[in-house]
């Protein structure tokens, strides 16, 4: 079935790296996404990776994809207090639908 | 571009009343999605449209919920009658299915700011 799983919470110190993990179930997913939701706001697209890639880097963000294990991760280098938010991974289905994970709440403390 | 626009941003109503949420997708986008977000259930897809046609409404909770998309630039989600358990943040998102090399396409969805609904 369709299921995307994430851990619920992550707490890191400012300046450290954060790694948010996600597992998905549909091996036919074409794209996998990371969205960020700040308090009181909608989801904002951070980055996405095509399923035939295993890594994508975008400034402080690094996405790693392990298709064999159906595992996706988002690494945020030099984490800042402004990175505190909920992070959702999502997989695309054969239709227009995205299946979202439960979200990981990242808390950055000084 | 103004992004996805939703109104109202906040709605407080009494149980039994009709509620109408509105969404204006990004101009040129051909898919529109309605989501509901609660602490207990997370982010749930209620219904989505492609080219103004409902494609999948399997997430609509019950007959009290209905959605329409009369044209490419406007959609409504209606709850009648509303109940306290409908209290949630309702998001609208839109996307444009664009072909890229290899025949695959991105499904990047752009979200509106949401409508926070409270049913008393």
């Amino acid at each position: 079935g369709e299921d995307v799983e994430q851990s619920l919470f992550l707490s890191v110190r400012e300046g450290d790296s954060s790694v948010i993990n996600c597992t998905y179930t549909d091996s036919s997913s074409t794209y996998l996404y990371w969205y960020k939701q700040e308090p009181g706001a909608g989801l904002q697209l951070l980055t996405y990776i095509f399923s035939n890639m295993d890594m994508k880097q975008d400034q402080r963000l690094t996405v790693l994809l392990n298709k064999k294990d159906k595992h996706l991760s988002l690494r945020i280098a030099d984490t800042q207090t402004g990175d505190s938010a909920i992070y959702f991974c999502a997989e695309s289905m054969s239709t227009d639908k995205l299946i979202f994970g439960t979200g990981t709440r990242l808390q950055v403390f000084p | 571009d103004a992004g996805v626009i939703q109104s109202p941003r906040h709605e407080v109503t009494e149980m039994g009343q009709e509620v109408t949420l509105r969404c204006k997708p990004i101009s040129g986008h051909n898919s529109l999605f309605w989501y509901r977000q609660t602490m207990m259930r997370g982010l749930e897809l209620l219904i989505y449209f492609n080219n103004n046609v409902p494609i999948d409404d399997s997430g609509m909770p019950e007959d009290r919920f209905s959605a329409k998309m009369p044209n490419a630039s406007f959609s409504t989600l209606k709850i009648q009658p509303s109940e306290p358990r409908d209290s949630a943040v309702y998001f609208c998102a839109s996307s444009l299915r664009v072909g890229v090399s290899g025949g695959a396409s991105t499904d990047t969805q752009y979200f509106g700011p949401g409508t926070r609904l409270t049913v008393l």
Side-chain angles (χ1 to χ4, degrees):
Chain A
E2 306 166 348
D3 201 8
V4 178
E5 295 187 353
Q6 301 178 238
S7 54
L8 292 180
F9 298 101
L10 177 65
S11 183
V12 299
R13 188 180 298 277
E14 190 175 18
D16 288 350
S17 292
S18 307
V19 179
I20 302 171
N21 295 301
C22 170
T23 57
Y24 61 97
T25 55
D26 190 338
S27 58
S28 65
S29 292
T30 309
Y31 287 89
L32 295 125
Y33 299 81
W34 284 104
Y35 281 82
K36 175 184 180 181
Q37 184 181 28
E38 296 183 352
L43 278 69
Q44 172 194 359
L45 178 68
L46 277 181
T47 186
Y48 64 88
I49 187 167
F50 188 41
S51 58
N52 69 354
M53 299 169 63
D54 52 21
M55 187 182 88
K56 180 179 180 181
Q57 187 153 2
D58 183 1
Q59 299 181 332
R60 293 190 298 121
L61 305 179
T62 303
V63 178
L64 296 177
L65 175 60
N66 181 329
K67 283 198 73 175
K68 174 175 170 291
D69 295 336
K70 298 191 186 69
H71 182 264
L72 182 73
S73 68
L74 174 70
R75 178 177 181 270
I76 305 173
D78 187 25
T79 312
Q80 303 298 307
T81 54
D83 295 324
S84 294
I86 302 175
Y87 291 80
F88 292 89
C89 67
E91 61 174 338
S92 65
M93 309 304 290
S94 57
T95 63
D96 292 323
K97 287 171 65 170
L98 293 184
I99 304 300
F100 285 87
T102 53
T104 299
R105 183 179 295 274
L106 173 65
Q107 183 174 8
V108 182
F109 57 94
Chain B
D1 197 317
V4 175
I5 298 173
Q6 290 186 247
S7 65
R9 292 294 311 275
H10 302 273
E11 176 82 27
V12 180
T13 191
E14 292 187 342
M15 183 174 64
Q17 297 297 306
E18 178 180 294
V19 174
T20 300
L21 311 181
R22 298 173 176 79
C23 176
K24 178 176 167 42
I26 292 173
S27 177
H29 280 190
N30 56 10
S31 292
L32 183 141
F33 306 80
W34 281 103
Y35 291 90
R36 177 172 69 177
Q37 186 178 38
T38 61
M39 288 292 292
M40 292 298 293
R41 300 174 68 91
L43 193 65
E44 302 173 277
L45 176 66
L46 300 177
I47 185 172
Y48 80 92
F49 297 82
N50 182 254
N51 294 322
N52 312 338
V53 176
I55 302 299
D56 184 348
D57 65 354
S58 59
M60 295 286 262
E62 47 198 273
D63 292 344
R64 298 184 298 107
F65 285 69
S66 62
K68 293 182 180 179
M69 192 163 186
N71 57 62
S73 59
F74 183 65
S75 177
T76 58
L77 177 68
K78 186 177 292 188
I79 309 172
Q80 166 63 19
S82 58
E83 296 182 4
R85 60 192 168 120
D86 302 330
S87 297
V89 181
Y90 290 81
F91 289 104
C92 176
S94 70
S95 70
L96 173 64
R97 201 167 177 88
V98 177
V100 297
S101 61
S105 63
T106 62
D107 304 294
T108 303
Q109 294 182 18
Y110 296 87
F111 282 72
T115 296
R116 182 173 295 277
L117 173 65
T118 302
V119 183
L120 302 175

